[in-house]
């Protein structure tokens, strides 16, 4: 993976919804939406109902969620959605 990319994993209890390299991701955190870019500081955040927006290959993709939790650590973003 390039230093200009993040590894994004979006999973639910039923299936893996997305796994791949992305340029950025916007996450609907409980205190407001926030962007994650390469070299982001580690964090864990609960999610509220909203839309995850990620950029892959120059295109924006979206996933609607009802909540969940996100972890950012060492260039890997893992989002467990409800």
């Amino acid at each position: 993976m390039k230093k200009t990319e993040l590894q994004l994993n979006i999973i639910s209890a039923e299936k893996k919804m997305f796994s791949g390299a992305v340029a950025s991701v916007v996450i609907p955190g409980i205190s407001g939406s926030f962007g994650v870019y390469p070299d982001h500081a580690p964090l864990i955040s609960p999610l509220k109902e909203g839309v995850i927006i990620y950029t892959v290959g120059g295109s924006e993709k979206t996933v609607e969620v009802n909540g969940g939790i996100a972890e950012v650590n060492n260039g890997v973003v893992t989002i467990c959605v409800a």
Side-chain angles (χ1 to χ4, degrees):
M1 184 168 33
K2 301 174 192 170
K3 280 214 169 249
T4 58
E5 295 177 326
L6 298 160
Q7 174 64 35
L8 174 61
N9 302 305
I10 305 174
I11 58 175
S12 72
E14 295 85 29
K15 64 181 178 177
K16 183 186 305 185
M17 302 173 76
F18 178 82
S19 183
V22 300
S24 64
V25 59
V26 177
I27 301 169
I30 200 162
S31 297
S33 293
F34 61 94
V36 178
Y37 300 89
D39 294 326
H40 196 284
L43 68 82
I44 295 176
S45 175
L47 306 183
K48 65 180 180 181
E49 184 176 338
V51 178
I52 298 169
I53 304 167
Y54 58 95
T55 305
V56 59
S59 303
E60 279 192 353
K61 309 286 184 185
T62 61
V63 175
E64 292 186 28
V65 298
N66 293 321
I69 190 162
E71 176 189 33
V72 179
N73 192 14
N74 203 25
V76 178
V77 180
T78 303
I79 305 174
C80 300
V81 300

